[in-house]
Each structure stands twice: as structure tokens, then as C-alpha cells.
Amino acid sequence: MKKIKILIVEDEVAIREGLIDVFVYHGYDVDSSGHGTEGLEKALTGQYDLILLDVMLPGLNGFDICNQIREQDRDQAIIMLTAKSSDEDIIEGLSLGADDYVAKPFSIAQLVLRVQAVLRRTHSVVDQQSKIQLSDEITIDTQNLSGIRGEEELTFTRREIDIVQYLYANSQRPVSRDELLHKVWGYAENIDLETRTVDIHIAKLRRKIESDPANPQHLMTVRGAGYRLLGSE
Ligand code: CA
């Protein structure tokens, strides 16, 4: 299978080198630039599956780069990286068409998860990718219904894997019980459902993927909103 190609545009050397190492480790083909103008040039000519784009850059800032990429390629997957974290910046980034927005300091595992989620939404090629890596410790193989947590081998039911895959594809937001019942179980929407069946499956999943199921680090409950799947360091 062709390697997924990522461009990292980030002027801080330590962060850039760190990101290169991480994405090479995860099997991606990585290119990089520490300058806005050069980054834009590469972005427009390099045929990348995804671009990680810092905002504050010498030459040209990330929002301008994002804007100019979008003028030429509406479908280019872009994730903005920035130290700025006010809502206004997030809205500006997203309205310029970034697919996601990750504020520094970010967890590397969380960033990898967000990259995988954006690639799943934007590139059908990644649908063939069957491994979900939640952290250095936990990998889930969605095709073989298996996984590894530390030294422990895990097995899953098809339903559990379907839940993980759905949460993973939507990891930028919490997913409600009703939505899971509709999308994963296939029940019609807006009927009064027994949502406890979702909770039971979540509890079973936590016993598998969490080292301390009572204090989950990945399969999180978002009060009043549902469940969200997170990566971690
Ligand atoms: Ca910067």
C-alpha cells in the first residue's frame, strides 16, 4: 500500500523534529518546512494527503497559507497547530477550511489520533488501514477484532469494534448514546430507546482497553453529551 504523505510546516525546530519522528514512526512519508513561503510552495506542489500547519511562521502565516491552499484545492486535508487557543482563532482557522485545529501544547498521541480521524474522513485509502493506535500501549486491529494493551492480548466483538471505529472517526467531538444506537446499532432515530445497552458495551470496552476501567483515559464520558475516544501520551 502506498504510504500516506504528510507535510509539516512548523518553524520551531524541536517541535518540527519531534513531529517528523512521530509520523515516520507511524509509517507516514513525511516532508517538512520551517518557513511559511516555502511551506506554501511545497503544499501546492507536493500532493500531500495531509498538511500540519503552524499559525505563527516566518514569511507567511498559517491562516494565509491555509487560505491560498484552499483557493487551489478545496479537498486538501489540513490541521492547524498553534499556541493561540482563543475561540476566535479556532473559528478563523475552521472558516478558512482547516479540517481540524490542535492547540499547543498538544499530546502527541492525541495529535496522531486527530490526524488519523481527518484522514479517515478525507481519504478513502485510509479506510484500508485497520490499526487504531490509542497510545504507545494500546493498539486495536479492527479487521481481526483483536488488540494489544501493554503485554496483554485483547479480543473484541464485531459490535465493540464498530463502536470504537465510530467514536474514532468522530474523535473531535463527543457522540451521544442515541447517535451510537442509530449509527452503530442501526436503530431509527427519535424513538424512545433503552440506552443502557450502550452503557453496557462501553463498560465492556473499558475493561479491555483501559488499564483502570474505573478511571478511563481513552473512552471518556462527557457529561450530558455522550462518549468520546481520546488518545494519550
Ligand atoms: Ca511558530
Side-chain angles (χ1 to χ4, degrees):
M1 197 174 101
K2 192 173 150 286
K3 274 192 179 184
I4 295 162
K5 210 172 155 193
I6 290 192
L7 173 65
I8 297 166
V9 186
E10 165 63 77
D11 60 320
E12 282 171 66
V13 178
I15 296 177
R16 187 172 69 241
E17 297 294 326
L19 289 173
I20 292 170
D21 285 351
V22 166
F23 286 100
V24 167
Y25 172 80
H26 279 89
Y28 296 85
D29 185 356
V30 181
D31 197 0
S32 70
S33 172
H35 192 277
T37 317
E38 185 196 56
L40 175 62
E41 206 176 293
K42 286 192 172 191
L44 293 178
T45 55
Q47 304 275 317
Y48 299 98
D49 295 293
L50 183 134
I51 298 171
L52 287 176
L53 188 55
D54 188 25
V55 171
M56 301 305 288
L57 289 163
L60 197 61
N61 76 48
F63 291 134
D64 290 338
I65 294 172
C66 183
N67 204 9
Q68 291 193 42
I69 293 170
R70 274 285 170 271
E71 280 175 12
Q72 300 215 8
D73 183 358
R74 292 176 54 85
D75 300 324
Q76 175 67 61
I78 300 169
I79 297 179
M80 307 286 293
L81 304 173
T82 181
K84 291 182 168 187
S85 61
S86 77
D87 290 346
E88 222 167 87
D89 289 324
I90 294 172
I91 289 160
E92 185 176 5
L94 294 175
S95 69
L96 286 171
D99 295 278
D100 204 350
Y101 180 100
V102 179
K104 296 174 187 171
F106 47 76
S107 125
I108 289 292
Q110 175 68 15
L111 178 62
V112 170
L113 194 71
R114 303 272 280 270
V115 164
Q116 291 170 339
V118 168
L119 285 169
R120 280 179 68 82
R121 290 202 299 274
T122 56
H123 282 262
S124 55
V125 59
V126 185
D127 287 340
Q128 297 163 21
Q129 189 179 320
S130 65
K131 296 259 197 307
I132 294 177
Q133 183 152 23
L134 287 183
S135 72
D136 292 346
E137 292 273 283
I138 306 165
T139 307
I140 297 168
D141 184 331
T142 60
Q143 251 157 36
N144 295 321
L145 310 183
S146 64
I148 292 170
R149 177 167 55 78
E151 307 271 282
E152 200 175 332
E153 288 186 25
L154 309 170
T155 56
F156 298 94
T157 64
R158 183 72 251 171
R159 182 78 81 199
E160 288 167 347
I161 289 293
D162 288 346
I163 294 167
V164 168
Q165 281 187 304
Y166 191 76
L167 292 174
Y168 166 70
N170 295 282
S171 60
Q172 78 284 6
R173 64 178 175 88
V175 175
S176 71
R177 292 176 178 82
D178 284 350
E179 183 176 341
L180 282 172
L181 285 167
H182 175 54
K183 298 287 190 181
V184 175
W185 272 262
Y187 291 124
E189 273 178 302
N190 303 322
I191 56 172
D192 200 16
L193 289 163
E194 176 56 69
T195 55
R196 211 176 123 65
T197 185
V198 176
D199 300 352
I200 291 167
H201 279 80
I202 294 288
K204 280 190 193 162
L205 269 171
R206 281 187 177 140
R207 284 201 289 277
K208 296 178 182 181
I209 66 175
E210 301 286 356
S211 48
D212 177 8
N215 180 27
Q217 303 298 307
H218 301 289
L219 191 41
M220 313 302 289
T221 299
V222 181
R223 199 166 286 277
Y227 297 105
R228 187 169 176 194
L229 191 63
L230 297 179
S232 73
E233 299 276 15

